[in-house]
Amino acid sequence: MAADLIVGLQWGDEGKGKIVDLVAKHYDIVVRSQGGHNAGHTVVIGDKKYALHLMPSGILNDNAINVIANGVVVSPAKIIEEMEKFGDMKGRLFISDKATMLLDYHAQIDQAKEKLRGKNAIGTTGRGIGPAYADKITRTALRIGDLLDIDNALEKLEDYFEMNKGYFEYLGINIPSLDDMRNELQGYQDKLGELITDTTKLLWDNIDKNILLEGAQATLLDIDHGTYPYVTSSNTIASGALTGSAIPPKQLKKVIGIAKAYLTRVGNGPFITEDFGKDGEYIREKGFEFGTTTGRPRRCGWFDAIAGKYAVTLNSCDEIALMKLDVLDGLKEVKVCVAYENEKGEQIDYFPTNLDGLKPVYKTFAGWDKSAGVTKFEELPKNAQEYILALEKLINCPIKYIATGAKRDETVIR
Ligand code: GDP
Ligand code: IMO
Ligand code: MG
């Protein structure tokens, strides 16, 4: 076998962690290929809840090997903190020598720039993701492999600080001393050194095993294809998972798209189906829609089938996992956006570059109660079944999984 991918189809927090955990038992290797600790993937096993940020969700499955591949921006401090919760990592976690190193000054730059943007702020997680990717693209970043030769890493850092000192000063950020950086990098080398690997070779050597690519963020946050500039700084779509992991394109077998039965967004930017009324509030409270990484309340609204169809095509999804159906239990009516209407009153059935001024055209479905915890499609309330069958048609992809609760077994598999 080759690689399968789990990818978010909306603005993140769809429940990717739950599905990765659900299917992880079928895989030998779980790979993170983009993003960084801006991600927050929640896995609930029995009464225990884990929030994973950089660590692939395969860590909760004893038999899986976990890989943080080249496309990830890795904060050594953060991965060390996460590793400490899971015991000895030797042989269980491999970190690419080509992955970009994210250091504390990246987070400081991120936060300072957000402040400067004022009301035009992106609403980033403040973790330094954008500045770390910017350094990668301008070819001035340290890579994780640089931890293996600290003298050389410090020479690069000295040049970097020299080149950027005006910028740091402008943003009010202190440049750390090279002595402090030596100590910091040495500490990282001590804890991570034996995990640093050429993960390209590792994955190619194991290409006949079952590999699962765990997407972070989601399609509408993609740097090229999302709602720019209100996006993250990586390619979050299926092709980004390939670049970010070195899995050869023809080795990608199945793409599982993850979407909530409604829609949320954390951070700023357009959101055509946002509901500012009591239904949006109901969904936020019932779905506990508060960020796993930053605790911010998530903006809530209705399923956008135009964005959904766009995401299914961009990722060439084979099947969908529809999440958090239970959160809609108890609503009188459930709406789905089936077209956008522009200022001239024309209807649009595709996801355009610019969403400004577009209004949702809704199809309304009768609500239902008691989908929570159901594990068989036939046992779902009739109206919920109708809703799911309609979504399948609208986004043109089979819905294979339906999640009816946060726990592993609260899932319908069709
Ligand atoms: P991810 O970033 O895509 O992995 O998603 P998050 O973990 O950030 O957010 C999803 C949240 O929804 C987590 O708190 C999950 O435990 C929870 N969750 C996942 N699936 C379901 C579901 O079907 N029903 C309910 N009620 N909660 C769910
Ligand atoms: P998971 O993997 C939801 C959002 C931020 C902000 C924008 C840019 O848990 O689904 P960044 O810090 O990446 O520069 O912020 O992207 N964002 C997410 N929203 N889920 C995530 O990850 C996100 N990662 C980033 O809120 O709007
Ligand atoms: Mg999340």
Side-chain angles (χ1 to χ4, degrees):
M1 238 248 355
D4 292 344
L5 167 67
I6 282 189
V7 63
L9 300 184
Q10 298 166 326
W11 277 298
D13 303 326
E14 295 89 350
K16 297 178 288 293
K18 165 166 168 156
I19 296 296
V20 174
D21 171 62
L22 184 76
V23 302
K25 60 178 183 286
H26 304 301
Y27 294 91
D28 306 303
I29 305 178
V30 180
V31 186
R32 272 283 307 271
S33 48
Q34 42 67 231
H37 64 300
N38 48 348
H41 297 175
T42 314
V43 180
V44 182
I45 302 172
D47 296 330
K48 276 201 115 167
K49 188 169 173 173
Y50 303 86
L52 300 166
H53 299 282
L54 263 171
M55 186 70 85
S57 303
I59 199 71
L60 297 168
N61 183 305
D62 288 343
N63 301 320
I65 286 173
N66 296 278
V67 172
I68 296 178
N70 56 281
V72 178
V73 286
V74 179
S75 156
K78 186 69 199 177
I79 190 65
I80 289 167
E81 185 192 315
E82 285 196 67
M83 280 160 48
E84 280 165 0
K85 295 186 192 133
F86 297 101
D88 187 16
M89 285 294 123
K90 182 114 183 73
R92 290 182 75 198
L93 175 67
F94 298 89
I95 307 176
S96 169
D97 50 4
K98 294 180 195 146
T100 299
M101 199 176 336
L102 186 155
L103 291 161
D104 189 53
Y105 54 82
H106 291 119
Q108 292 183 48
I109 295 170
D110 191 359
Q111 291 160 24
K113 287 186 72 178
E114 281 285 273
K115 231 188 205 154
L116 280 177
R117 285 195 190 100
K119 68 172 178 36
N120 296 323
I122 308 292
T124 71
T125 60
R127 300 296 192 265
I129 306 299
Y133 274 117
D135 284 350
K136 167 179 168 170
I137 296 298
T138 55
R139 294 155 292 185
T140 57
L142 291 185
R143 290 170 138 196
I144 288 295
D146 287 318
L147 287 177
L148 299 177
D149 182 348
I150 289 181
D151 286 334
N152 191 255
L154 286 170
E155 274 177 34
K156 292 183 192 172
L157 264 184
E158 192 172 12
D159 287 349
Y160 175 85
F161 289 143
E162 181 59 31
M163 221 180 331
N164 287 287
K165 68 180 179 212
Y167 185 50
F168 273 61
E169 199 181 326
Y170 172 70
L171 294 174
I173 299 167
N174 290 328
I175 292 182
S177 78
L178 289 178
D179 277 348
D180 285 352
M181 287 310 304
R182 178 181 292 281
N183 288 336
E184 184 176 333
L185 297 183
Q186 187 59 56
Y188 298 152
Q189 187 198 72
D190 295 345
K191 293 202 164 137
L192 299 178
E194 62 179 8
L195 309 181
I196 299 173
T197 311
D198 179 344
T199 58
T200 301
K201 182 164 189 320
L202 175 82
L203 291 172
W204 289 6
D205 286 347
N206 287 283
I207 204 73
D208 57 336
K209 299 247 173 74
N210 297 331
I211 301 171
L212 180 66
L213 298 166
E214 174 179 4
Q217 291 79 52
T219 303
L220 304 180
L221 289 170
D222 183 278
I223 184 76
D224 284 286
H225 302 285
T227 48
Y228 189 89
Y230 299 100
V231 292
T232 190
S233 297
S234 63
N235 282 114
T236 55
I237 61 170
S239 41
L242 301 177
T243 309
S245 63
I247 297 284
K250 289 185 181 168
Q251 298 291 341
L252 185 60
K253 203 169 151 212
K254 184 166 68 180
V255 178
I256 309 175
I258 317 292
K260 279 182 204 179
Y262 48 94
L263 193 53
T264 66
R265 156 160 227 174
V266 55
N268 300 329
F271 182 172
I272 294 183
T273 62
E274 185 164 9
D275 187 293
F276 299 96
K278 62 175 181 16
D279 288 344
E281 191 57 42
Y282 180 89
I283 291 171
R284 183 173 314 107
E285 293 300 319
K286 188 132 186 273
F288 199 67
E289 294 295 354
F290 298 89
T292 311
T293 298
T294 56
R296 291 178 289 177
R298 296 176 184 146
R299 299 157 63 194
C300 297
W302 303 108
F303 192 93
D304 182 339
I306 300 300
K309 203 168 54 172
Y310 175 72
V312 163
T313 306
L314 261 177
N315 294 297
S316 60
C317 291
D318 295 294
E319 53 195 40
I320 302 285
L322 188 73
M323 311 302 292
K324 302 187 91 162
L325 183 72
D326 54 297
V327 173
L328 300 178
D329 285 6
L331 286 171
K332 252 207 187 89
E333 289 180 333
V334 175
K335 292 193 275 189
V336 175
C337 174
V338 294
Y340 303 142
E341 191 177 291
N342 67 20
E343 279 148 346
K344 294 183 214 148
E346 297 157 343
Q347 291 203 359
I348 293 175
D349 68 352
Y350 63 91
F351 193 79
T353 307
N354 185 356
L355 298 177
D356 290 348
L358 296 179
K359 294 207 170 68
V361 177
Y362 286 120
K363 183 172 160 68
T364 302
F365 293 80
W368 59 84
D369 213 347
K370 300 203 172 78
S371 80
V374 171
T375 57
K376 291 200 178 82
F377 189 76
E378 312 74 65
E379 288 173 13
L380 286 171
K382 263 267 157 320
N383 289 346
Q385 293 185 23
E386 271 172 32
Y387 179 71
I388 293 160
L389 296 175
L391 289 188
E392 258 181 350
K393 280 210 183 105
L394 285 166
I395 62 175
N396 197 21
C397 191
I399 295 175
K400 168 146 186 204
Y401 302 92
I402 299 146
T404 57
K407 292 189 183 146
R408 210 183 252 178
D409 53 0
E410 291 174 317
T411 314
V412 174
I413 304 178
R414 286 167 84 200

